Amino acid sequence: MLYREALNKALDEVMSADDSVVTLGEDVGLYGGSFRVTEGLVEKYGEKRVIDTPIAELSIVGNAVGMAIGGLRPVAEIMTGNFSLLAFDQIINHMAKLHYMSNGKIILPMVVRFPQGVSRQLAAQHSESYEQMLCAVPGLRVLSVNDVNYAYHALKYAILSDDPVVFIEHELLYNKKGEVDFEQKLNPFEARIAKEGSDITIVSYLKMVDDVMLAVPEIEKALGCSCEVIDLCSLNPVDYETLKKSIEKTSRLVMVEEDHKTGGYGGQIVSWAAEEMFYALDAPSLRLAGEDVPIPYNRGLELASIPTPESITRDIVAWGKKNDV
Amino acid sequence: MNKLLAQEMYYLMVLGRAFEYAAKENYMKGNISGFLHLDIGQEALSVGAVKAFEKGDIFSGYREHIMAMSRGLEPKAVMAELFGKVTGVSGGKGGSMHLFEPSHYFYGGDAIVGGQLPNAVGCAYARAFLEQDEGVMAIFGDGATNGGAFFESLNIAATHKLPLLFLCENNEYAIGTNIGRTAPFKEQAKKAEPYMPTYEVDGMDVEAVYKVVSEARKQIESGHGPVFVEAFTCRYEGHSISDANSYRSAQEMAHCKARDPIQRFKKALHEKWLCTEQEIQNIETKAQKAVENAVKYAEESPEPEADALFEHVFYEEGENVVS
Ligand SMILES: Cc1ncc(C[n+]2csc(CCOP(=O)(O)OP(=O)(O)O)c2C)c(N)n1
C-alpha cells in the first residue's frame, strides 16, 4: 500500500465509524486532494463532511477550531506547509491555547494535516519545513510521519485523540510503498527503531529517515561500525526514553534533519543530549541539516542545500574518523 | 490601437503560446522541473493587460511567463530560468513561478496565492508618496479573491485612494475546484464594489482587454483611487503540468476553445488592420524562431556555480552589516 493510500484508508475508516469526523481543505472534495489523500471520500461521505474550502488558510484552521468547539472532529488539510503561514495565528493563538486558557473547559479534538518539505524543484516558496515553529508552541501535539504503517495508525490515533494535533507529512513520501499491519496496537508517540545497531545512534524523522537508511551501509563499511537509526515519529512530545537507551548503548549521537540548521528542530535533540546525556557520550554530537538559505529552484543547488544520502555518508564518515568510531 | 501595436500584440500572443508549448515539451524531456503553470488560452489577457499598462509596476502570480515577455523580458532569459540556468531571469534560483525584473518594473512571480496583493498596495503607496505618476497593476486569479489578503488590500487601497489597478483573471477554476463551490457568486468584481469602481471585460478578446485596462490605468493615475477590472477567461491546460484537467468535460473545453483569442484576433488583423496573409505569416515565423532560439539558448547555458547557493541571501553579504 502507498503512503497516501494508508492515510486515505485511515481517514475513510474513521469517517465511516464516526459521523462527527469531517475533513476540509482546498481541493479535498471533487478533485480528490492535491496529493490524492482524500480521493473518493466525497463520493462516500458527501459534501457536508468533505468540504472544499476557498483558498483561505486562516479560515481552514480557524473554522476547524470552531468545528471542534461545536462538537465535530475536523481534519483540516493545509495544501502545503508554506501556505500554513497564513493560518499561523489560528494555529498558535487559538488551536494551541484555547484548552489551556479555558482551564481545560474547551477541548479541541482536531487535526491539521501538514504536507511540507523540499520536494523537487518547487523553489523557495514551496519548500519550507515548519516543525521547529510548531514544536516551539506548547499545546500542540506534533507527529512526523515517515513510515507507511505508522502513517495509517498515527492518523487514526490523531483523529480520535482529544488533543489538537499537527500531522506533518513529507511531500516526497506520498508514493512510498509499505506494509500495513491493521491489527497492530501502535502508540504514535513512541519512537521507531528503524534499524538496530551498537556504535552510533542516528536520529532523524520524516523523509530524512529514508536518506539515512540509504547512507548507513556505506557508513558502516567505511567506519567498520554498526549504526542504530531512530525515527522520532513524534516531535512533540519526544520519546526521550528510547533515545536515552540507544545513546547509553552506542555513546554517540548524530542528528539528521532537512530544515535549515539555524533554529532547526534538531537543536532540541542535541541540546537535550548535552544536558542529559553528557557523560554517556564519547564524542561531540553531530548535527546534519539544511543550509541557511531559501531553497533554490536549480536541481544541483537544491540538492546542495539539504542533506542527501551522499552528503550524510560523507559527513558521518568524516566525523567518525575524527572521533575514533 | 494602431496597426503597429496590433501586430506587436499578435506577435506576443503567438510568441506566448509557442513558448508555453515549448515549455511543456521541455518539461516532458526533463529539461524543466517543478511546477509549470501554462497560460495557453489566456494570452489575450496577459498580453492585452500588460501592453495597456506600458508604464508602471506590475505584480503578478505564478502564471506569468507571457506577462513577463509582454513586459519586455527576453524569451531566452525566461526560458533559461525555467531550465534553472544561470542565465535565467532569476539566475536559476526562482524557476517558472518566480520571474522578477525590477528594471522592467516587473515583480513576480509570486507562488503564494494572493501574496502579491499587499505588496502591490505598498508599492502603490510608495508611488503616490513619492509623487511618481505611474500606478501599479496587480494581477491575480479568481481563487485569490477569497483570501484575507485580498480584502485587506481592497480596503487599504481604497482608504488611501492609491493608484492601484486590481486585475482579476477569472478562469473559474482554482486548481480543480470551480469558483462556484468556494464563493457565493461567479463575478468576483462584486466583492470590490463597495470600495472602488469595477469593470468587466471579455478576457478572450485582446482588443477589449487593452481598451478597458488602458482606461482603468488613466483613471488610477488621475488620483481618484483604485479600480477593479475583472476579465473572464479560460485556460486550456490543467492548472499545472501535473494536473490532468479531468474535472472539465470535453464539452466545456470545446466551448472554451471556441473563443480562442488568437484566432479571433487574427481575423481582426485581416479585417480591421488589413494585414496581409504574408504579414501575419511573418509574425508567426518570427515568434516561432524566437522560441526556438530561447530553447537553444537555455539548453546551451551553464548551470549556476556551486557558490551561487549562498549568494544573495543578504544584500552584498556582510558589507552592510553593522559590526
Ligand atoms: C496561499 C496559498 N494557498 C494555496 C496555494 C496552492 N495553490 C496554488 S495555485 C492555486 C489556485 C489558484 O487559483 P486562481 O487564483 O484562480 O489562479 P489560476 O491558477 O486560475 O490562475 C492554489 C490553491 C498557494 N499557492 N498559496
Side-chain angles (χ1 to χ4, degrees), chain A residues 27 30-31 47 52-54 120-123 125-126 291 293 297-298, chain B residues 33-34 81-82 84 92-93 97-98 110-111 175-177 181 243 303-304:
Chain A
D27 287 303
L30 286 188
Y31 192 64
E47 296 189 5
D52 275 325
T53 66
R120 206 186 149 94
Q121 290 193 260
L122 301 185
Q125 289 183 326
H126 275 76
E291 300 289 349
V293 301
Y297 166 73
N298 174 276
Chain B
S33 192
E81 187 57 39
L82 306 196
K93 284 177 172 168
M97 302 186 288
H98 305 289
D110 200 315
I175 307 190
T177 299
R181 300 177 58 74
D243 168 13
E303 297 280 331

PDB file of all heavy atoms in Angstrom, chain A residues 27 30-31 47 52-54 120-123 125-126 291 293 297-298, chain B residues 33-34 81-82 84 92-93 97-98 110-111 175-177 181 243 303-304:
ATOM      1  N   ASP A  27      -9.443  21.855  -2.514  1.00  0.00           N
ATOM      2  CA  ASP A  27      -9.437  20.740  -3.469  1.00  0.00           C
ATOM      3  C   ASP A  27      -9.572  19.347  -2.825  1.00  0.00           C
ATOM      4  O   ASP A  27      -9.300  18.345  -3.487  1.00  0.00           O
ATOM      5  CB  ASP A  27      -8.163  20.754  -4.333  1.00  0.00           C
ATOM      6  CG  ASP A  27      -8.179  21.870  -5.370  1.00  0.00           C
ATOM      7  OD1 ASP A  27      -9.122  21.907  -6.177  1.00  0.00           O
ATOM      8  OD2 ASP A  27      -7.257  22.698  -5.371  1.00  0.00           O
ATOM      9  N   LEU A  30     -14.202  17.191  -4.675  1.00  0.00           N
ATOM     10  CA  LEU A  30     -14.334  16.670  -6.039  1.00  0.00           C
ATOM     11  C   LEU A  30     -12.993  16.332  -6.670  1.00  0.00           C
ATOM     12  O   LEU A  30     -12.855  15.351  -7.389  1.00  0.00           O
ATOM     13  CB  LEU A  30     -15.056  17.696  -6.917  1.00  0.00           C
ATOM     14  CG  LEU A  30     -16.556  17.839  -6.693  1.00  0.00           C
ATOM     15  CD1 LEU A  30     -17.165  18.739  -7.754  1.00  0.00           C
ATOM     16  CD2 LEU A  30     -17.235  16.460  -6.711  1.00  0.00           C
ATOM     17  N   TYR A  31     -11.995  17.137  -6.405  1.00  0.00           N
ATOM     18  CA  TYR A  31     -10.680  16.947  -7.020  1.00  0.00           C
ATOM     19  C   TYR A  31      -9.913  15.798  -6.370  1.00  0.00           C
ATOM     20  O   TYR A  31      -8.986  15.248  -6.960  1.00  0.00           O
ATOM     21  CB  TYR A  31      -9.897  18.257  -6.898  1.00  0.00           C
ATOM     22  CG  TYR A  31      -8.634  18.342  -7.710  1.00  0.00           C
ATOM     23  CD1 TYR A  31      -8.673  18.301  -9.102  1.00  0.00           C
ATOM     24  CD2 TYR A  31      -7.398  18.489  -7.087  1.00  0.00           C
ATOM     25  CE1 TYR A  31      -7.515  18.412  -9.846  1.00  0.00           C
ATOM     26  CE2 TYR A  31      -6.231  18.596  -7.835  1.00  0.00           C
ATOM     27  CZ  TYR A  31      -6.298  18.559  -9.208  1.00  0.00           C
ATOM     28  OH  TYR A  31      -5.147  18.667  -9.946  1.00  0.00           O
ATOM     29  N   GLU A  47     -20.774  16.089   0.566  1.00  0.00           N
ATOM     30  CA  GLU A  47     -20.108  17.392   0.616  1.00  0.00           C
ATOM     31  C   GLU A  47     -20.198  18.079   1.971  1.00  0.00           C
ATOM     32  O   GLU A  47     -19.502  19.054   2.227  1.00  0.00           O
ATOM     33  CB  GLU A  47     -20.683  18.298  -0.473  1.00  0.00           C
ATOM     34  CG  GLU A  47     -20.385  17.752  -1.852  1.00  0.00           C
ATOM     35  CD  GLU A  47     -20.747  18.706  -2.961  1.00  0.00           C
ATOM     36  OE1 GLU A  47     -21.153  19.845  -2.665  1.00  0.00           O
ATOM     37  OE2 GLU A  47     -20.634  18.295  -4.131  1.00  0.00           O
ATOM     38  N   ASP A  52     -14.890  21.326   0.376  1.00  0.00           N
ATOM     39  CA  ASP A  52     -13.987  22.105  -0.472  1.00  0.00           C
ATOM     40  C   ASP A  52     -13.992  23.538   0.032  1.00  0.00           C
ATOM     41  O   ASP A  52     -15.012  24.219  -0.025  1.00  0.00           O
ATOM     42  CB  ASP A  52     -14.485  22.089  -1.926  1.00  0.00           C
ATOM     43  CG  ASP A  52     -14.004  20.866  -2.686  1.00  0.00           C
ATOM     44  OD1 ASP A  52     -12.873  20.421  -2.431  1.00  0.00           O
ATOM     45  OD2 ASP A  52     -14.765  20.367  -3.537  1.00  0.00           O
ATOM     46  N   THR A  53     -12.855  23.994   0.489  1.00  0.00           N
ATOM     47  CA  THR A  53     -12.804  25.354   1.033  1.00  0.00           C
ATOM     48  C   THR A  53     -12.232  26.328   0.012  1.00  0.00           C
ATOM     49  O   THR A  53     -11.537  25.932  -0.910  1.00  0.00           O
ATOM     50  CB  THR A  53     -11.875  25.414   2.261  1.00  0.00           C
ATOM     51  OG1 THR A  53     -10.536  25.155   1.830  1.00  0.00           O
ATOM     52  CG2 THR A  53     -12.271  24.412   3.312  1.00  0.00           C
ATOM     53  N   PRO A  54     -12.508  27.608   0.212  1.00  0.00           N
ATOM     54  CA  PRO A  54     -11.793  28.622  -0.580  1.00  0.00           C
ATOM     55  C   PRO A  54     -10.307  28.607  -0.226  1.00  0.00           C
ATOM     56  O   PRO A  54      -9.907  27.961   0.751  1.00  0.00           O
ATOM     57  CB  PRO A  54     -12.431  29.941  -0.123  1.00  0.00           C
ATOM     58  CG  PRO A  54     -13.674  29.575   0.606  1.00  0.00           C
ATOM     59  CD  PRO A  54     -13.478  28.187   1.131  1.00  0.00           C
ATOM     60  N   ARG A 120      10.593  18.540  -5.240  1.00  0.00           N
ATOM     61  CA  ARG A 120      11.542  18.561  -6.350  1.00  0.00           C
ATOM     62  C   ARG A 120      11.408  19.847  -7.142  1.00  0.00           C
ATOM     63  O   ARG A 120      10.430  20.054  -7.845  1.00  0.00           O
ATOM     64  CB  ARG A 120      11.316  17.355  -7.260  1.00  0.00           C
ATOM     65  CG  ARG A 120      12.571  16.970  -8.004  1.00  0.00           C
ATOM     66  CD  ARG A 120      12.301  15.872  -9.012  1.00  0.00           C
ATOM     67  NE  ARG A 120      13.205  16.059 -10.116  1.00  0.00           N
ATOM     68  CZ  ARG A 120      14.390  15.452 -10.232  1.00  0.00           C
ATOM     69  NH1 ARG A 120      14.782  14.572  -9.351  1.00  0.00           N
ATOM     70  NH2 ARG A 120      15.177  15.694 -11.267  1.00  0.00           N
ATOM     71  N   GLN A 121      12.362  20.736  -6.943  1.00  0.00           N
ATOM     72  CA  GLN A 121      12.452  21.983  -7.698  1.00  0.00           C
ATOM     73  C   GLN A 121      11.193  22.841  -7.648  1.00  0.00           C
ATOM     74  O   GLN A 121      10.750  23.352  -8.664  1.00  0.00           O
ATOM     75  CB  GLN A 121      12.841  21.677  -9.147  1.00  0.00           C
ATOM     76  CG  GLN A 121      14.279  21.204  -9.257  1.00  0.00           C
ATOM     77  CD  GLN A 121      14.734  21.224 -10.693  1.00  0.00           C
ATOM     78  OE1 GLN A 121      14.762  20.204 -11.345  1.00  0.00           O
ATOM     79  NE2 GLN A 121      15.084  22.400 -11.190  1.00  0.00           N
ATOM     80  N   LEU A 122      10.648  22.982  -6.464  1.00  0.00           N
ATOM     81  CA  LEU A 122       9.474  23.839  -6.348  1.00  0.00           C
ATOM     82  C   LEU A 122       9.847  25.251  -5.898  1.00  0.00           C
ATOM     83  O   LEU A 122       8.990  26.100  -5.767  1.00  0.00           O
ATOM     84  CB  LEU A 122       8.452  23.216  -5.395  1.00  0.00           C
ATOM     85  CG  LEU A 122       7.963  21.821  -5.805  1.00  0.00           C
ATOM     86  CD1 LEU A 122       6.870  21.351  -4.864  1.00  0.00           C
ATOM     87  CD2 LEU A 122       7.450  21.797  -7.234  1.00  0.00           C
ATOM     88  N   ALA A 123      11.113  25.469  -5.632  1.00  0.00           N
ATOM     89  CA  ALA A 123      11.652  26.788  -5.251  1.00  0.00           C
ATOM     90  C   ALA A 123      11.204  27.208  -3.851  1.00  0.00           C
ATOM     91  O   ALA A 123      10.433  26.532  -3.185  1.00  0.00           O
ATOM     92  CB  ALA A 123      11.309  27.835  -6.300  1.00  0.00           C
ATOM     93  N   GLN A 125       9.328  29.303  -2.192  1.00  0.00           N
ATOM     94  CA  GLN A 125       8.001  29.485  -1.592  1.00  0.00           C
ATOM     95  C   GLN A 125       7.189  28.193  -1.495  1.00  0.00           C
ATOM     96  O   GLN A 125       6.035  28.209  -1.065  1.00  0.00           O
ATOM     97  CB  GLN A 125       7.200  30.536  -2.383  1.00  0.00           C
ATOM     98  CG  GLN A 125       7.728  31.953  -2.181  1.00  0.00           C
ATOM     99  CD  GLN A 125       6.896  32.984  -2.906  1.00  0.00           C
ATOM    100  OE1 GLN A 125       6.361  32.722  -3.990  1.00  0.00           O
ATOM    101  NE2 GLN A 125       6.785  34.181  -2.353  1.00  0.00           N
ATOM    102  N   HIS A 126       7.779  27.093  -1.900  1.00  0.00           N
ATOM    103  CA  HIS A 126       7.078  25.809  -1.805  1.00  0.00           C
ATOM    104  C   HIS A 126       7.941  24.728  -1.164  1.00  0.00           C
ATOM    105  O   HIS A 126       7.744  23.548  -1.440  1.00  0.00           O
ATOM    106  CB  HIS A 126       6.661  25.313  -3.189  1.00  0.00           C
ATOM    107  CG  HIS A 126       5.358  25.852  -3.674  1.00  0.00           C
ATOM    108  ND1 HIS A 126       5.217  27.127  -4.152  1.00  0.00           N
ATOM    109  CD2 HIS A 126       4.121  25.297  -3.770  1.00  0.00           C
ATOM    110  CE1 HIS A 126       3.965  27.330  -4.530  1.00  0.00           C
ATOM    111  NE2 HIS A 126       3.275  26.230  -4.307  1.00  0.00           N
ATOM    112  N   GLU A 291      21.152  23.938   4.626  1.00  0.00           N
ATOM    113  CA  GLU A 291      21.884  25.202   4.714  1.00  0.00           C
ATOM    114  C   GLU A 291      20.923  26.333   5.082  1.00  0.00           C
ATOM    115  O   GLU A 291      19.722  26.231   4.859  1.00  0.00           O
ATOM    116  CB  GLU A 291      22.533  25.522   3.353  1.00  0.00           C
ATOM    117  CG  GLU A 291      23.515  24.476   2.871  1.00  0.00           C
ATOM    118  CD  GLU A 291      24.817  24.450   3.679  1.00  0.00           C
ATOM    119  OE1 GLU A 291      25.038  25.379   4.484  1.00  0.00           O
ATOM    120  OE2 GLU A 291      25.599  23.501   3.494  1.00  0.00           O
ATOM    121  N   VAL A 293      19.756  28.890   3.771  1.00  0.00           N
ATOM    122  CA  VAL A 293      19.418  29.670   2.565  1.00  0.00           C
ATOM    123  C   VAL A 293      17.989  29.300   2.144  1.00  0.00           C
ATOM    124  O   VAL A 293      17.542  28.181   2.405  1.00  0.00           O
ATOM    125  CB  VAL A 293      20.374  29.347   1.381  1.00  0.00           C
ATOM    126  CG1 VAL A 293      21.821  29.638   1.752  1.00  0.00           C
ATOM    127  CG2 VAL A 293      20.234  27.899   0.909  1.00  0.00           C
ATOM    128  N   TYR A 297      15.675  26.881  -6.897  1.00  0.00           N
ATOM    129  CA  TYR A 297      14.976  26.052  -7.891  1.00  0.00           C
ATOM    130  C   TYR A 297      15.921  25.075  -8.592  1.00  0.00           C
ATOM    131  O   TYR A 297      15.599  23.891  -8.747  1.00  0.00           O
ATOM    132  CB  TYR A 297      14.321  26.976  -8.929  1.00  0.00           C
ATOM    133  CG  TYR A 297      13.845  26.282 -10.197  1.00  0.00           C
ATOM    134  CD1 TYR A 297      12.718  25.471 -10.184  1.00  0.00           C
ATOM    135  CD2 TYR A 297      14.529  26.446 -11.398  1.00  0.00           C
ATOM    136  CE1 TYR A 297      12.282  24.842 -11.342  1.00  0.00           C
ATOM    137  CE2 TYR A 297      14.098  25.817 -12.559  1.00  0.00           C
ATOM    138  CZ  TYR A 297      12.973  25.014 -12.526  1.00  0.00           C
ATOM    139  OH  TYR A 297      12.551  24.393 -13.670  1.00  0.00           O
ATOM    140  N   ASN A 298      17.069  25.554  -9.013  1.00  0.00           N
ATOM    141  CA  ASN A 298      18.015  24.705  -9.760  1.00  0.00           C
ATOM    142  C   ASN A 298      18.300  23.408  -8.997  1.00  0.00           C
ATOM    143  O   ASN A 298      18.581  23.435  -7.803  1.00  0.00           O
ATOM    144  CB  ASN A 298      19.306  25.494  -9.994  1.00  0.00           C
ATOM    145  CG  ASN A 298      20.385  24.637 -10.632  1.00  0.00           C
ATOM    146  OD1 ASN A 298      21.102  23.918  -9.938  1.00  0.00           O
ATOM    147  ND2 ASN A 298      20.476  24.680 -11.944  1.00  0.00           N
TER     148      ASN A 298
ATOM    149  N   SER B  33      11.601  21.445 -14.564  1.00  0.00           N
ATOM    150  CA  SER B  33      11.027  20.646 -13.488  1.00  0.00           C
ATOM    151  C   SER B  33      10.181  21.534 -12.570  1.00  0.00           C
ATOM    152  O   SER B  33       9.926  22.694 -12.883  1.00  0.00           O
ATOM    153  CB  SER B  33      12.168  19.986 -12.714  1.00  0.00           C
ATOM    154  OG  SER B  33      11.665  19.012 -11.852  1.00  0.00           O
ATOM    155  N   GLY B  34       9.748  20.983 -11.478  1.00  0.00           N
ATOM    156  CA  GLY B  34       8.960  21.765 -10.517  1.00  0.00           C
ATOM    157  C   GLY B  34       7.552  22.013 -11.030  1.00  0.00           C
ATOM    158  O   GLY B  34       7.018  21.238 -11.813  1.00  0.00           O
ATOM    159  N   GLU B  81      15.414  30.524 -17.293  1.00  0.00           N
ATOM    160  CA  GLU B  81      15.002  30.418 -15.890  1.00  0.00           C
ATOM    161  C   GLU B  81      14.221  29.118 -15.669  1.00  0.00           C
ATOM    162  O   GLU B  81      14.404  28.429 -14.664  1.00  0.00           O
ATOM    163  CB  GLU B  81      14.159  31.636 -15.490  1.00  0.00           C
ATOM    164  CG  GLU B  81      13.823  31.698 -14.007  1.00  0.00           C
ATOM    165  CD  GLU B  81      15.060  31.686 -13.113  1.00  0.00           C
ATOM    166  OE1 GLU B  81      16.059  32.321 -13.465  1.00  0.00           O
ATOM    167  OE2 GLU B  81      15.016  31.011 -12.058  1.00  0.00           O
ATOM    168  N   LEU B  82      13.373  28.772 -16.620  1.00  0.00           N
ATOM    169  CA  LEU B  82      12.620  27.521 -16.485  1.00  0.00           C
ATOM    170  C   LEU B  82      13.571  26.322 -16.489  1.00  0.00           C
ATOM    171  O   LEU B  82      13.315  25.295 -15.879  1.00  0.00           O
ATOM    172  CB  LEU B  82      11.587  27.354 -17.607  1.00  0.00           C
ATOM    173  CG  LEU B  82      10.577  28.476 -17.833  1.00  0.00           C
ATOM    174  CD1 LEU B  82       9.426  27.992 -18.688  1.00  0.00           C
ATOM    175  CD2 LEU B  82      10.043  29.028 -16.542  1.00  0.00           C
ATOM    176  N   GLY B  84      16.399  26.456 -15.187  1.00  0.00           N
ATOM    177  CA  GLY B  84      17.218  26.566 -13.974  1.00  0.00           C
ATOM    178  C   GLY B  84      18.649  27.006 -14.247  1.00  0.00           C
ATOM    179  O   GLY B  84      19.547  26.746 -13.443  1.00  0.00           O
ATOM    180  N   GLY B  92      18.342  31.117 -12.154  1.00  0.00           N
ATOM    181  CA  GLY B  92      18.079  29.694 -11.923  1.00  0.00           C
ATOM    182  C   GLY B  92      17.584  29.405 -10.519  1.00  0.00           C
ATOM    183  O   GLY B  92      17.275  28.267 -10.201  1.00  0.00           O
ATOM    184  N   LYS B  93      17.475  30.421  -9.697  1.00  0.00           N
ATOM    185  CA  LYS B  93      17.032  30.173  -8.322  1.00  0.00           C
ATOM    186  C   LYS B  93      15.518  30.231  -8.167  1.00  0.00           C
ATOM    187  O   LYS B  93      14.964  29.758  -7.177  1.00  0.00           O
ATOM    188  CB  LYS B  93      17.646  31.209  -7.383  1.00  0.00           C
ATOM    189  CG  LYS B  93      19.106  30.942  -7.080  1.00  0.00           C
ATOM    190  CD  LYS B  93      19.638  32.052  -6.206  1.00  0.00           C
ATOM    191  CE  LYS B  93      21.033  31.737  -5.725  1.00  0.00           C
ATOM    192  NZ  LYS B  93      21.640  32.918  -5.119  1.00  0.00           N
ATOM    193  N   MET B  97       7.824  29.993 -11.418  1.00  0.00           N
ATOM    194  CA  MET B  97       6.890  30.793 -10.613  1.00  0.00           C
ATOM    195  C   MET B  97       7.496  32.094 -10.091  1.00  0.00           C
ATOM    196  O   MET B  97       6.811  32.875  -9.456  1.00  0.00           O
ATOM    197  CB  MET B  97       6.407  29.979  -9.407  1.00  0.00           C
ATOM    198  CG  MET B  97       5.719  28.683  -9.772  1.00  0.00           C
ATOM    199  SD  MET B  97       5.019  27.864  -8.335  1.00  0.00           S
ATOM    200  CE  MET B  97       6.501  27.266  -7.504  1.00  0.00           C
ATOM    201  N   HIS B  98       8.804  32.277 -10.329  1.00  0.00           N
ATOM    202  CA  HIS B  98       9.463  33.418  -9.669  1.00  0.00           C
ATOM    203  C   HIS B  98      10.310  34.233 -10.630  1.00  0.00           C
ATOM    204  O   HIS B  98      11.530  34.248 -10.564  1.00  0.00           O
ATOM    205  CB  HIS B  98      10.312  32.908  -8.504  1.00  0.00           C
ATOM    206  CG  HIS B  98       9.541  32.091  -7.518  1.00  0.00           C
ATOM    207  ND1 HIS B  98       8.615  32.650  -6.668  1.00  0.00           N
ATOM    208  CD2 HIS B  98       9.504  30.764  -7.268  1.00  0.00           C
ATOM    209  CE1 HIS B  98       8.065  31.698  -5.925  1.00  0.00           C
ATOM    210  NE2 HIS B  98       8.584  30.543  -6.281  1.00  0.00           N
ATOM    211  N   ASP B 110       4.775  35.373  -7.918  1.00  0.00           N
ATOM    212  CA  ASP B 110       4.561  35.050  -6.518  1.00  0.00           C
ATOM    213  C   ASP B 110       3.789  33.745  -6.451  1.00  0.00           C
ATOM    214  O   ASP B 110       2.729  33.621  -7.046  1.00  0.00           O
ATOM    215  CB  ASP B 110       3.773  36.167  -5.837  1.00  0.00           C
ATOM    216  CG  ASP B 110       3.951  36.130  -4.345  1.00  0.00           C
ATOM    217  OD1 ASP B 110       3.870  35.018  -3.768  1.00  0.00           O
ATOM    218  OD2 ASP B 110       4.174  37.195  -3.737  1.00  0.00           O
ATOM    219  N   ALA B 111       4.349  32.778  -5.730  1.00  0.00           N
ATOM    220  CA  ALA B 111       3.715  31.451  -5.683  1.00  0.00           C
ATOM    221  C   ALA B 111       2.758  31.302  -4.512  1.00  0.00           C
ATOM    222  O   ALA B 111       2.180  30.244  -4.323  1.00  0.00           O
ATOM    223  CB  ALA B 111       4.795  30.366  -5.617  1.00  0.00           C
ATOM    224  N   ILE B 175      -7.111  25.540  -9.112  1.00  0.00           N
ATOM    225  CA  ILE B 175      -6.710  24.150  -9.343  1.00  0.00           C
ATOM    226  C   ILE B 175      -7.921  23.400  -9.910  1.00  0.00           C
ATOM    227  O   ILE B 175      -8.383  23.754 -10.986  1.00  0.00           O
ATOM    228  CB  ILE B 175      -6.083  23.502  -8.092  1.00  0.00           C
ATOM    229  CG1 ILE B 175      -4.943  24.394  -7.566  1.00  0.00           C
ATOM    230  CG2 ILE B 175      -5.517  22.116  -8.451  1.00  0.00           C
ATOM    231  CD1 ILE B 175      -4.078  23.780  -6.482  1.00  0.00           C
ATOM    232  N   GLY B 176      -8.476  22.424  -9.187  1.00  0.00           N
ATOM    233  CA  GLY B 176      -9.577  21.651  -9.763  1.00  0.00           C
ATOM    234  C   GLY B 176     -10.946  22.031  -9.217  1.00  0.00           C
ATOM    235  O   GLY B 176     -11.927  21.338  -9.469  1.00  0.00           O
ATOM    236  N   THR B 177     -11.004  23.123  -8.479  1.00  0.00           N
ATOM    237  CA  THR B 177     -12.273  23.473  -7.851  1.00  0.00           C
ATOM    238  C   THR B 177     -12.883  24.703  -8.502  1.00  0.00           C
ATOM    239  O   THR B 177     -12.245  25.746  -8.600  1.00  0.00           O
ATOM    240  CB  THR B 177     -12.061  23.698  -6.335  1.00  0.00           C
ATOM    241  OG1 THR B 177     -11.572  22.480  -5.768  1.00  0.00           O
ATOM    242  CG2 THR B 177     -13.365  24.068  -5.646  1.00  0.00           C
ATOM    243  N   ARG B 181     -18.020  26.664  -6.190  1.00  0.00           N
ATOM    244  CA  ARG B 181     -18.024  25.840  -4.980  1.00  0.00           C
ATOM    245  C   ARG B 181     -17.394  26.553  -3.787  1.00  0.00           C
ATOM    246  O   ARG B 181     -17.472  26.063  -2.663  1.00  0.00           O
ATOM    247  CB  ARG B 181     -17.253  24.538  -5.235  1.00  0.00           C
ATOM    248  CG  ARG B 181     -17.830  23.694  -6.360  1.00  0.00           C
ATOM    249  CD  ARG B 181     -16.991  22.455  -6.614  1.00  0.00           C
ATOM    250  NE  ARG B 181     -16.870  21.619  -5.440  1.00  0.00           N
ATOM    251  CZ  ARG B 181     -17.826  20.858  -4.949  1.00  0.00           C
ATOM    252  NH1 ARG B 181     -18.996  20.824  -5.542  1.00  0.00           N
ATOM    253  NH2 ARG B 181     -17.612  20.129  -3.875  1.00  0.00           N
ATOM    254  N   ASP B 243      -1.403  18.414 -13.490  1.00  0.00           N
ATOM    255  CA  ASP B 243      -2.855  18.301 -13.318  1.00  0.00           C
ATOM    256  C   ASP B 243      -3.469  17.797 -14.623  1.00  0.00           C
ATOM    257  O   ASP B 243      -3.329  18.434 -15.668  1.00  0.00           O
ATOM    258  CB  ASP B 243      -3.393  19.684 -12.940  1.00  0.00           C
ATOM    259  CG  ASP B 243      -4.904  19.777 -13.014  1.00  0.00           C
ATOM    260  OD1 ASP B 243      -5.582  18.729 -13.119  1.00  0.00           O
ATOM    261  OD2 ASP B 243      -5.422  20.910 -12.978  1.00  0.00           O
ATOM    262  N   GLU B 303      24.964  25.786 -15.973  1.00  0.00           N
ATOM    263  CA  GLU B 303      24.321  25.676 -14.660  1.00  0.00           C
ATOM    264  C   GLU B 303      24.952  26.734 -13.750  1.00  0.00           C
ATOM    265  O   GLU B 303      26.097  27.138 -13.969  1.00  0.00           O
ATOM    266  CB  GLU B 303      24.625  24.299 -14.047  1.00  0.00           C
ATOM    267  CG  GLU B 303      24.086  23.116 -14.824  1.00  0.00           C
ATOM    268  CD  GLU B 303      22.611  22.869 -14.567  1.00  0.00           C
ATOM    269  OE1 GLU B 303      22.131  23.195 -13.461  1.00  0.00           O
ATOM    270  OE2 GLU B 303      21.943  22.359 -15.478  1.00  0.00           O
ATOM    271  N   PRO B 304      24.258  27.125 -12.692  1.00  0.00           N
ATOM    272  CA  PRO B 304      24.888  28.044 -11.742  1.00  0.00           C
ATOM    273  C   PRO B 304      26.083  27.368 -11.067  1.00  0.00           C
ATOM    274  O   PRO B 304      26.123  26.148 -10.934  1.00  0.00           O
ATOM    275  CB  PRO B 304      23.787  28.300 -10.704  1.00  0.00           C
ATOM    276  CG  PRO B 304      22.528  27.802 -11.298  1.00  0.00           C
ATOM    277  CD  PRO B 304      22.884  26.775 -12.328  1.00  0.00           C
TER     278      PRO B 304
END
